Amino acid sequence: EPEYYPTNVYDREIPSESLDIYMTSPPCQAFSLAGKRLGKDDKRGILFFNSHEFIQVNKPRFFIFENVKGLLSDDGGKTFQEWVNMLGGKSVNGNPVIFPYSDSVSYHLYWKVLNAKEHGVPQNRERVFLVGIRGDSDNNFRWPIEKNLNKKLKDVLENEVDEKYFLSENTIKKLIYFIAFY
């Protein structure tokens, strides 16, 4: 267990010494196409601002955000544009920012949608990645090179699976009942 591990992100202390890298993945349920898409109306949809505050105060050398592709279209694209405006005070995808927002952090921001299957993972999973490089740090960034997928899901699944991972007969009956009548 780490020495300091707050259970509530709003109660956490921001270290005064800058981190080398800050990695965050604000809850995606507010933006997911599979969810209700409540965006900022969902309390989980505003946790971005908690991470933004951390970056403002701590000024890590680098940061990485990861989220679902649905973030791009939330509120007609306004939510994602706000994230970009607040995180990319120096440049965005190599283009200089002439008039940064007053709340933006002084970072070079790169963003892209990456699909796990294009990077050797047997899963079709698109995610938005935002990478920030502090304005005084080396700004030589490139996205990983795509590679052919050589594995299929069946290649990584185990042949023998522990019984604890199987649904009980009773649970299966309840699911079938639920599906049939609802």
Side-chain angles (χ1 to χ4, degrees), residues 38-124:
L38 296 177
K40 288 193 217 177
D41 292 333
D42 181 327
K43 66 181 180 178
R44 298 167 294 189
I46 59 171
L47 279 171
F48 161 79
F49 299 102
N50 188 275
S51 294
H52 179 261
E53 176 194 29
F54 186 98
I55 293 167
Q56 279 181 315
V57 173
N58 182 265
K59 297 174 180 46
R61 285 182 59 205
F62 308 97
F63 65 75
I64 301 171
F65 278 74
E66 175 272 338
N67 215 287
V68 293
K69 187 178 174 184
L71 173 65
L72 298 174
S73 60
D74 181 66
D75 195 16
K78 292 177 189 172
T79 301
F80 183 70
Q81 189 59 55
E82 182 178 31
W83 288 29
V84 169
N85 292 340
M86 292 180 78
L87 295 174
K90 284 284 199 184
S91 68
V92 176
N93 283 343
N95 299 310
V97 173
I98 307 300
F99 301 108
Y101 276 45
S102 59
D103 286 341
S104 68
V105 291
S106 186
Y107 282 76
H108 299 281
L109 181 70
Y110 297 88
W111 71 268
K112 187 174 183 177
V113 176
L114 299 176
N115 192 327
K117 74 178 182 179
E118 295 165 348
H119 298 280
V121 179
Q123 184 178 35
N124 187 16

Side-chain angles (χ1 to χ4, degrees), residues 106-155:
S106 186
Y107 282 76
H108 299 281
L109 181 70
Y110 297 88
W111 71 268
K112 187 174 183 177
V113 176
L114 299 176
N115 192 327
K117 74 178 182 179
E118 295 165 348
H119 298 280
V121 179
Q123 184 178 35
N124 187 16
R125 188 176 183 96
E126 292 182 306
R127 291 293 184 263
V128 178
F129 287 87
L130 300 100
V131 176
I133 302 171
R134 197 171 60 204
D136 65 345
S137 296
D138 178 18
N139 186 23
N140 189 10
F141 178 78
R142 288 178 295 185
W143 292 103
I145 297 170
E146 292 181 9
K147 58 183 178 179
N148 291 331
L149 181 61
N150 296 323
K151 292 185 177 183
K152 294 183 177 5
L153 185 57
K154 68 178 184 175
D155 297 330

